[in-house]
Amino acid sequence: MLRTVVCRAGSGLLKHSRQTVPVLWGTRAQQRWASSLPMNTVVLFVPQQEAWVVERMGRFHRILEPGLNFLIPILDRVKYVQSLKEIVIDVPEQSAVSLDNVTLQIDGVLYLRILDPFKASYGVEDPEYAVTQLAQTTMRSELGKLTLDKVFRERESLNSNMVHSINQASDDWGIRCLRYEIKDIHVPPRVKESMQMQVEAERRKRATVLESEGTREAAINVAEGRKQSQILASEGEKAEQINKAAGEANAVLAKAEAKAKAIRVLSEALSQKNGNAAASLSVAEQYVSAFSNLAKESNTILLPSNTGDVSSMVTQAMAIYGSLAKTQAQSATEKTTPETTELLLDGKSAYENESEQKF
């Protein structure tokens, strides 16, 4: 007997549980396709990701879970079928006014999911239509808080604000809004032309700024190159002057050493026999050479009275030399013994007698 009842229930389920042709439901603005309600055939098979709300004698009884379920005929009735999948709803295009009084035509896509089949069934008459209308009104409100430029720049922020506002109102309906995406934003033609002109002006401004920055960088590079060139030139001139000074110093030292060596050689020659005669001959030669160069470099000449008397000039030069030698001898006498002093004086007198006899 039980086997016969199960077989009849199964055949009835295959015939009457679902209609093959979907039924159009909803308003003109929001039309969606949905399956018809299943009939109570005692044994029911609920598909996955669906929730069937059962009423017993007109009151809520329970929600059937996916799989095999049993109902009492006549008393139990499947009143609502709710899909637990993510539902995608097209929000129709609507007009909204931005904060700067620009009329926009905007549409979007709403993604939602039913979390509580009981609230979705008894909390609102048409949950999807209610959420759609809520999305449209919320979009108008959010666009009224933003200017036209911010609508395009803060598109992601606008979407998140939409989701937050819809979820605050749809909690009592058992529906959770997952995300909201704006599809298209249409602006008036004149505003669009103004935006295009603004974009072109911004691009020209950027081009001018970039060109000026390039000119500035070029000028800075040229100035930096000149600076480096001047620094290198000054360092080269400094090194040249240092090298030149070092060369002159070395030349002065070499000349001084040569002169000192010449003086030493001259002193050694004067200390030898006939040294005074050689000195006199050298002085006479220098006098004659200097006299021959007179009036060659300047027109103004100062001459002594006895210019042609060479012997007197030599005698005068030797007298100066003798006085210098005498001074040196006196300084040396202070450091020598009396015997040495007498020898020096005798040598000096002999030297003077010899010089007088020659001249």
Side-chain angles (χ1 to χ4, degrees):
M1 183 67 181
L2 180 60
R3 181 178 180 182
T4 305
V5 172
V6 172
C7 291
R8 290 179 179 178
S11 61
L13 177 63
L14 293 175
K15 292 180 180 179
H16 304 288
S17 62
R18 296 272 180 145
Q19 294 182 4
T20 57
V21 181
V23 178
L24 183 64
W25 63 279
T27 62
R28 295 181 179 179
Q30 178 68 27
Q31 295 180 350
R32 296 187 52 81
W33 291 87
S35 301
S36 61
L37 297 177
M39 297 180 61
N40 184 3
T41 55
V42 181
V43 179
L44 298 178
F45 297 96
V46 180
Q48 185 68 32
Q49 288 297 97
E50 282 191 6
W52 292 2
V53 179
V54 177
E55 292 181 354
R56 175 168 292 180
M57 292 184 296
R59 293 186 58 185
F60 170 75
H61 176 56
R62 65 189 179 101
I63 298 175
L64 301 181
E65 297 181 355
L68 178 62
N69 292 273
F70 297 96
L71 296 179
I72 300 176
I74 302 174
L75 298 180
D76 295 336
R77 177 188 175 189
V78 178
K79 182 64 176 178
Y80 300 100
V81 174
Q82 303 292 350
S83 175
L84 303 182
K85 300 178 182 179
E86 185 173 347
I87 303 171
V88 181
I89 302 176
D90 288 331
V91 179
E93 185 178 12
Q94 60 178 334
S95 62
V97 181
S98 63
L99 184 62
D100 49 355
N101 297 325
V102 178
T103 303
L104 303 176
Q105 298 293 330
I106 186 169
D107 57 356
V109 181
L110 184 64
Y111 299 85
L112 53 87
R113 176 177 292 173
I114 296 177
L115 301 181
D116 191 344
F118 176 79
K119 291 182 178 181
S121 301
Y122 298 100
V124 63
E125 180 66 25
D126 190 345
E128 296 182 5
Y129 177 73
V131 171
T132 302
Q133 296 300 315
L134 179 62
Q136 289 182 335
T137 56
T138 306
M139 175 58 70
R140 294 192 189 98
S141 176
E142 292 295 330
L143 287 178
K145 300 177 183 178
L146 301 175
T147 60
L148 180 61
D149 295 335
K150 289 186 178 180
V151 169
F152 292 98
R153 288 200 304 264
E154 300 180 4
R155 198 164 180 172
E156 183 177 358
S157 177
L158 181 61
N159 293 336
S160 62
N161 292 337
M162 285 285 299
V163 172
H164 180 70
S165 300
I166 293 174
N167 286 332
Q168 285 183 345
S170 62
D171 287 340
D172 295 336
W173 302 340
I175 298 174
R176 181 72 176 178
C177 181
L178 302 179
R179 56 191 177 275
Y180 181 88
E181 298 293 339
I182 298 175
K183 289 199 302 183
D184 294 319
I185 300 177
H186 301 283
V187 297
R190 293 184 179 180
V191 177
K192 191 174 182 180
E193 293 176 1
S194 301
M195 294 175 62
Q196 186 66 27
M197 294 174 62
Q198 181 180 1
V199 170
E200 293 178 358
E202 186 69 23
R203 290 179 179 176
R204 286 195 299 268
K205 175 184 175 181
R206 291 180 182 177
T208 305
V209 171
L210 291 176
E211 184 178 359
S212 63
E213 289 181 354
T215 304
R216 184 187 66 177
E217 292 293 334
I220 291 174
N221 292 335
V222 171
E224 188 69 22
R226 291 178 179 175
K227 176 183 176 182
Q228 294 294 333
S229 177
Q230 292 178 358
I231 291 174
L232 294 176
S234 62
E235 290 180 354
E237 184 177 358
K238 176 182 176 182
E240 182 181 0
Q241 292 178 358
I242 292 174
N243 294 334
K244 185 177 180 180
E248 292 178 355
N250 292 332
V252 170
L253 290 176
K255 290 180 179 180
E257 291 178 356
K259 189 173 182 180
K261 186 176 180 181
I263 292 173
R264 285 195 299 269
V265 172
L266 181 60
S267 63
E268 291 176 358
L270 291 174
S271 63
Q272 294 179 1
K273 187 178 180 180
N274 298 326
N276 291 330
S280 299
L281 178 60
S282 177
V283 172
E285 289 178 352
Q286 292 180 2
Y287 178 79
V288 172
S289 176
F291 188 78
S292 64
N293 291 327
L294 292 176
K296 288 185 178 181
E297 298 180 356
S298 176
N299 295 328
T300 303
I301 304 173
L302 296 177
L303 297 175
S305 59
N306 54 350
T307 305
D309 191 358
V310 179
S311 60
S312 62
M313 295 298 296
V314 174
T315 303
Q316 184 179 0
M318 294 304 298
I320 295 172
Y321 172 75
S323 63
L324 293 175
K326 184 177 179 179
T327 303
Q328 293 178 357
Q330 288 178 359
S331 61
T333 303
E334 295 176 357
K335 298 181 181 180
T336 58
T337 60
E339 295 78 5
T340 308
T341 304
E342 293 178 358
L343 291 175
L344 291 174
L345 292 175
D346 294 339
K348 181 180 179 182
S349 60
Y351 171 74
E352 290 178 354
N353 294 329
E354 184 178 359
S355 298
E356 290 177 357
Q357 292 175 3
K358 290 181 180 179
F359 288 100

